[in-house]
Amino acid sequence: MAERRTITGFSNPTVKFMRSLREKKHRKREGRFLAEGLRLLTDARETGHVPELLALATGREPHPLLDALEAAVGDAGGQVLEIEPALLAKVTGKDNPQAVAGVFTEFDTTLDTLDRSSADIWLVAQALRDPGNLGTMLRTGDAVGAGGLILVDDCADPFSVEAVRASMGALFTQRIARASWEEFHAWLRQGEGETGGQLVAASLRDAVPYRGAPYTAPCFVMVGNESRGLPEAYEAACDLRVTMPMKGRADSLNAAIAAAVLAYEVLDTFE
């Protein structure tokens, strides 16, 4: 079990460091990100990701999962801190923070880390700006057994506190890659043939109904920006364009919901 240190002041350098990770520039500089919640950190531990720094709120209720998490941090040579709940609220930016938070090393997010043959379904988001949508897509990927989420062009930061929270632990079960459109398209087409991939997008341009469409594995399901959708050139580069019926007044679905609908249809096709 790691030795605990008790911190009572906000001016403590470690507390300031943890709080700084709420900002993208500091996460980028440090290569670290913040996650909170016992369930989320347990998911991380069970998938081989252990925080290098664990902060526990004083006065919290004991729990065997918390004991297991603390032991894992100690075995990995990490630090364990005890801090007042009000101080933890300053760190996480929540008025009612959960009783535990951790600092993790950011993952390698280059395309070369992905093995496209490891899964039949992959999710792709282009210029997705809402961290909540990003987290939802990670959860969807986990639910359908996707290999991971590829973020194309200028997307929200997957390591932001908001995206990590919205992922409900799926950040640790899904591979994440970031690339420009040119990099992603070249990477995808390098695998033409047995190791290639089918790029599918929701579209109104020369599209077929999404139900029963000819999906093939590995299938890369791509959605675009929340307000603009996919650029026309990107849609034109897809192997398959599908459309979903809209029975009401809305002319489109939320990007993350559209990705989920398509992913489940693909999953149904492959099962």
Side-chain angles (χ1 to χ4, degrees):
M1 191 75 69
E3 182 180 350
R4 298 180 186 176
R5 287 194 297 129
T6 301
I7 295 177
T8 58
F10 182 70
S11 61
N12 181 275
T14 303
V15 172
K16 287 185 174 181
F17 162 71
M18 293 180 69
R19 189 175 188 276
S20 75
L21 297 180
R22 288 165 49 191
E23 297 184 34
K24 184 176 181 179
K25 65 180 181 181
H26 296 300
R27 290 194 299 273
K28 184 176 181 180
R29 182 191 67 208
E30 300 291 343
R32 305 288 188 276
F33 68 96
L34 189 67
E36 65 167 320
L38 180 57
R39 177 179 174 180
L40 195 153
L41 267 64
T42 296
D43 286 343
R45 176 181 61 80
E46 291 179 346
T47 54
H49 300 281
V50 177
E52 59 186 44
L53 178 61
L54 181 66
L56 309 174
T58 56
R60 71 205 173 281
E61 293 293 327
H63 197 288
L65 290 178
L66 194 57
D67 293 340
L69 181 60
E70 187 174 356
V73 172
D75 290 344
Q79 300 181 60
V80 178
L81 310 176
E82 281 194 302
I83 63 178
E84 293 291 330
L87 198 54
L88 190 57
K90 293 286 187 181
V91 168
T92 64
K94 291 182 67 178
D95 291 335
N96 297 300
Q98 300 194 45
V100 56
V103 174
F104 293 82
T105 301
E106 287 191 1
F107 317 143
D108 186 344
T109 58
T110 57
L111 283 171
D112 291 341
T113 65
L114 303 185
D115 175 8
R116 74 188 78 195
S117 66
S118 64
D120 289 340
I121 303 173
W122 296 81
L123 300 184
V124 184
Q126 187 271 331
L128 200 70
R129 300 304 302 153
D130 186 332
N133 281 338
L134 196 158
T136 298
M137 288 191 68
L138 286 168
R139 291 175 68 183
T140 296
D142 180 81
V144 301
L149 173 64
I150 301 172
L151 303 174
V152 173
D153 296 337
D154 186 21
C155 285
D157 183 3
F159 300 112
S160 69
V161 172
E162 297 82 4
V164 173
R165 187 180 296 148
S167 79
M168 295 293 290
L171 175 79
F172 297 103
T173 67
Q174 292 286 286
R175 300 304 302 265
I176 300 174
R178 293 186 276 196
S180 68
W181 165 252
E182 292 77 15
E183 291 168 338
F184 166 67
H185 191 249
W187 173 84
L188 185 69
R189 297 314 180 196
Q190 282 175 357
E192 295 282 6
E194 294 183 0
T195 59
Q198 180 192 44
L199 187 58
V200 177
S203 173
L204 296 176
R205 301 183 180 100
D206 299 319
V208 300
Y210 84 102
R211 289 191 180 277
Y215 303 110
T216 59
C219 182
F220 291 79
V221 176
M222 182 166 67
V223 296
N225 175 266
E226 290 90 345
S227 59
R228 299 188 302 273
L230 286 166
E232 184 174 355
Y234 293 19
E235 289 190 9
C238 289
D239 303 299
L240 179 65
R241 290 173 291 278
V242 297
T243 183
M244 291 174 281
M246 303 296 297
K247 302 294 187 180
R249 293 181 59 86
D251 60 2
S252 64
L253 286 174
N254 167 274
I257 298 301
V261 171
L262 284 180
Y264 270 102
E265 179 65 19
V266 174
L267 177 64
D268 186 61
T269 299
F270 293 161
E271 287 191 334

